[in-house]
Every structure is written in C-alpha cells, then in structure tokens.
Amino acid sequence: MRRFLVAGNWKMNTTKESGAQLAKALVTEVPEENQAVEVLVCPPFPYLTTVGDIVNGSGVGFGAQNCYQEAPGAYTGETATEMLTDIGCRSVILGHSERRHILKETDANINLKVKKALDAGLQVILCVGELQSERESEQTDAVLNTQMTGGLEGVDAAAFDQIVVAYEPVWAIGTGLTATPDQAESAHQYLRNWLKEHYSAEIADSTRILYGGSVKPDNAKELLSQENVDGALVGGASLKPDLFIPIIQAAAELSAG
Ligand code: PEP
C-alpha cells in the first residue's frame, strides 16, 4: 500500500520568524513516530536550515523548491544538490508550474535537475499539469505525456523509490479553483497508466501521485479518497497550521481506514 505524502510548498513566502513558528506548530502536531502519513515542508532557500533545525528528529521532513544540475562551482545564484544534502534536506520539488511558466524552465532543464537530484539521493517531487486552455482543448493527456517523457528521460526504473509525481493542473494553483475529484482521479489514472507503459506494473503500483491545486481542509478528504491520489502538494494552505494540519489529519484518517 502506498503511504500518503502531504507536502507544503511555501513558495516565496514567510519570514525567518514566521517560518520558524509554522515549523514549530507542525512539529507539535505531527507525531514523531508518524507512520501513517509522510509530512514534508518546502521553505524558501534562506530558511531551509532554520526550518531543518526545528523539524530535525520529528515526524516532519524538509525539502527544497528547486536545485541546479551542476556540481558546486561558478553558477551565481544557483543551489547545488550537494548543498541541500549537506544541510540534511531530503527532498526537492522540480518542474513546478511557476518555474515552468514564470521562470521558463523547459522539460529538458527539468530533466537535468531530476537526474542530478536523484544521483544526490534526494526524493524528487516532479510536478506536471496542464494549462486551462490545454484542458479546454482536450490536450491534458498529451501535455502530461510530454512532461513525463521529457522530465524522466534517461531515468531508470531503479530510481523510482526516490520519485513522487505531483499532478498540478495549472488553472487550479493558487486560484481557489480545484479539480473535481473525478478530474483529479482521471488525470492520476492516466499518469499511473503512463508509468505502467513506460516502466512496469510494479513501478506504477508503488509510485505515489500527489494532487496539487487549491487543496484545503474542506476538499482534502474527498480528493485524497480517490483511488489513485496518494497525497497532496499544498501551496497557500500550507502557510497556516490551522489549514495544513487538518489536511494531514484527513490523510491520516483515510490511511487508518
Ligand atoms: C502549489 O504551489 O504547488 C499549489 C498547489 O498551490 P495552491 O495549493 O496554493 O493552489
């Protein structure tokens, strides 16, 4: 059975102090021996060590929102995977729609980062998802296929214990619009089938596929109860303990049956 993962993407938000308070609130609420749900927070780079020190030894992990594909060297402004592992960071979000559409990252850029992060032993949360116009023109599956093919090119089956896929329809991110449970389930089914066709039935079965896009306490349970939804990547609601904790609890209740 796949273990739920609830990950918070803080994006370019918080201060050192508010991020520390948020991390402390989560540590208090998430039990140390938290087997039911994997919980992860992804703060901005300047606060990674502050948050990492707070969550260290707790049931909450911490990850980065991006990385660079080269070893440390002359790459002004970038962050190496070696630096992330050096501070105990265990995960990285790659291919987020804001990086694809605002920072103009291509599937080829993302693929280089995915391979480097995997080599570094990091858990990779690879985000894929269609624009509203692509959904309206029935291009969703084609877009997911392109992003999965491009993002995972050259990645072999052995790396899949480090890979999580996040389906994040771009039209639902930060907009308050949420995919219906049926829309989410159908995209997740497509992605699981994609993994089966391109890798194997075992990999399709064991790889977690998260849903992201305006997940809130009031829609979390219904989304997470879809057969192929294995957790949530949460933006806005991950910045408030009173919104994020109920999402973790929804996952915990579902995994308890
Ligand atoms: C995200 O940033 O990955 C995200 C899903 O944001 P939000 O929950 O705010 O839609």
Side-chain angles (χ1 to χ4, degrees), residues 9 11 96 98 168 172-175 212-216 233-237:
N9 173 14
K11 312 194 189 198
H96 190 277
E98 286 148 19
E168 296 210 309
I173 298 181
T175 58
S214 299
V215 176
K216 303 275 183 302
L233 181 53
V234 185

Side-chain angles (χ1 to χ4, degrees), residues 9 14 17 21 29 37 44 50 54 56 60 103 214 242 244 250:
N9 173 14
T14 74
E17 180 54 28
Q21 292 307 328
E29 292 294 329
V37 183
T50 303
I54 293 168
N56 190 16
V60 180
L103 283 307
S214 299
D242 59 336
F244 195 50

